[in-house]
Amino acid sequence: MLYVIIGEDVENSLAQRLAARPAHLERLHALRDAGHLLVAGPNPAIDSNDPGEAGFSGSVIIAEFDSLEAAQRWADADPYKAAGVYQQVTVKPFKKVLP
């Protein structure tokens, strides 16, 4: 089943985010390579694809996992969480309807 993982950043998280980004992307690439990643990306803190020093307010990942518990375990092990980027992470089942 698909699950959405919504990470909400602490304020001024850009430095921590940049430091943890390689490890974060490595895990996402592994999900993609296994055929389990639907989409992933950050939420710019301002209305721009390149927010510069404004940074990001969070991230969204939609991926396939065996269970809600497996998705939660994966989210709990995210390098962004360990680095203090995320103040909150929400994991929910997701049903793709479109496209």
Side-chain angles (χ1 to χ4, degrees):
M1 179 166 191
L2 292 174
Y3 296 89
V4 61
I5 300 169
I6 304 163
E8 297 179 46
D9 286 20
V10 299
E11 286 192 42
N12 302 313
S13 63
L14 187 57
Q16 299 101 301
R17 186 179 262 276
L18 292 174
R21 188 170 188 263
H24 173 77
L25 289 177
E26 184 178 325
R27 296 178 80 235
L28 289 171
H29 290 157
L31 268 182
R32 178 201 61 201
D33 294 348
H36 297 293
L37 182 63
L38 184 65
V39 67
N43 304 110
I46 61 174
D47 190 14
S48 173
N49 279 327
D50 183 6
E53 292 192 18
F56 300 91
S57 63
S59 302
V60 174
I61 299 165
I62 302 176
E64 183 179 4
F65 293 93
D66 290 336
S67 66
L68 178 59
E69 294 78 18
Q72 185 68 60
R73 279 193 306 276
W74 190 91
D76 288 344
D78 194 302
Y80 280 175
K81 190 168 182 183
V85 173
Y86 292 151
Q87 67 177 333
Q88 180 177 331
V89 177
T90 304
V91 180
K92 297 180 180 184
F94 180 80
K95 180 181 176 184
K96 182 181 175 191
V97 175
L98 294 170

